[in-house]
Amino acid sequence: NVLHARSIYWRTSMDLGNFAWLAVIPALGFLVVVHEIGHYWVGRKMGIKIEEFGIGIPPRAKVLFVRKGVPFTLNWLPLGGFVRFAGEESGFDDPDSLMAAPPRRRIPVLAAGVIANILVAMLIFALIFMIWGIPNPDRIEVTTTDAYAESVGFQSGDQLLEVGGQVIGPTSSVIEIVQTSGGKPIEVKVLRDDEAVTFMAAPLYREDTEAYQYGIGLGPGYDRVNPFVALWRGVTYSGEILWSMVAGIGALFGCLLG
């Protein structure tokens, strides 16, 4: 749903996309460490003996510190982390090992990693909503502009109110109006710095896309909210994503079994 000068857009995307996968490494590492912190914290509360908390994958680089008899280590491969409970590699007869613990103590430890990831996701989304606001699909804003778009009057941050005399709803309606204009000037009304601004702008025919375009990117506007609303939205949005994942997995199994 982006009305954009695609030659510029795709060129930039390709330049950055070659290295975008590198961002997965620290992100995945962070999620795994959070996951293991959940296991560690609940394991301590349940009285399970812990032999090591490692950041990264062995071989070991160094021991960072020792807390309550548990060495916290830094390992050479920066791909997450681990918690080694008693009984996994040694001390199989230790009564305080994870496997020796009854289900009422063992199950919370095993579930703690996933719960920790969910709680952190809620906090991250809440922080995002607190800083940038909550997306409002009823508001369409100009997110990017190229040189031509700026020359005809668009600015990043403009909220589209009317294009060609039509009140703006879905982004697709803007694209349809512009592409069927035949290059004739269209009256555009935007909200800029809390003031309505109206100007005439003729779309430019782009040879690469074979369509009339302004060279602007469009996206939803964001509503500023207080921290309590942002926190609640972080919780509900995480729940929506989790439910979508569960529903998707259920649908996949339904297709395989059907």
Side-chain angles (χ1 to χ4, degrees):
N1 293 333
V2 175
L3 185 62
H4 200 275
R6 297 189 182 179
S7 59
I8 298 174
Y9 174 80
W10 285 112
R11 193 181 307 121
T12 304
S13 299
M14 291 178 63
D15 291 342
L16 297 178
N18 292 334
F19 302 98
W21 63 271
L22 292 175
V24 173
I25 297 177
L28 182 61
F30 171 75
L31 291 176
V32 173
V33 169
V34 167
H35 184 93
E36 298 303 328
I37 288 175
H39 289 312
Y40 170 83
W41 189 81
V42 176
R44 291 300 301 263
K45 294 297 181 182
M46 291 294 169
I48 307 299
K49 185 177 179 180
I50 300 173
E51 296 181 343
E52 182 181 356
F53 185 100
I55 299 175
I57 298 176
R60 180 185 296 180
K62 64 181 297 185
V63 176
L64 298 174
F65 57 89
V66 178
R67 185 175 186 273
K68 295 183 178 182
V70 180
F72 284 70
T73 63
L74 182 65
N75 298 275
W76 283 110
L77 299 178
L79 298 174
F82 62 92
V83 174
R84 189 169 74 246
F85 293 100
E88 292 186 10
E89 296 181 3
S90 62
F92 303 108
D93 298 327
D94 194 325
D96 294 326
S97 68
L98 181 62
M99 295 309 298
R104 63 181 177 81
R105 294 168 56 201
R106 184 168 67 249
I107 293 176
V109 175
L110 297 176
V114 174
I115 294 174
N117 284 137
I118 293 174
L119 292 176
V120 169
M122 291 177 179
L123 291 175
I124 291 175
F125 282 126
L127 183 61
I128 291 173
F129 295 144
M130 196 180 305
I131 295 174
W132 286 286
I134 297 177
N136 184 346
D138 294 328
R139 290 170 49 197
I140 303 299
E141 290 189 356
V142 176
T143 57
T144 59
T145 57
D146 65 7
Y148 179 77
E150 293 176 0
S151 71
V152 296
F154 288 100
Q155 293 183 15
S156 293
D158 286 348
Q159 178 186 339
L160 292 183
L161 300 178
E162 296 180 9
V163 175
Q166 297 186 34
V167 177
I168 296 306
T171 305
S172 57
S173 65
V174 181
I175 298 175
E176 182 179 359
I177 294 170
V178 173
Q179 291 186 350
T180 58
S181 67
K184 298 178 180 179
I186 302 173
E187 183 178 83
V188 178
K189 186 177 182 180
V190 302
L191 185 65
R192 180 182 301 162
D193 299 327
D194 296 325
E195 293 185 6
V197 177
T198 302
F199 54 90
M200 299 297 292
L204 179 66
Y205 186 78
R206 312 271 175 164
E207 296 290 346
D208 53 340
T209 60
E210 298 182 348
Y212 287 97
Q213 296 177 328
Y214 280 130
I216 59 176
L218 298 179
Y222 289 82
D223 295 334
R224 295 289 182 178
V225 295
N226 63 56
F228 296 104
V229 174
L231 181 59
W232 176 246
R233 185 58 183 132
V235 171
T236 58
Y237 187 65
S238 299
E240 292 169 7
I241 293 177
L242 183 61
W243 174 251
S244 297
M245 293 173 62
V246 171
I249 294 174
L252 177 62
F253 276 103
C255 293
L256 293 176
L257 296 176

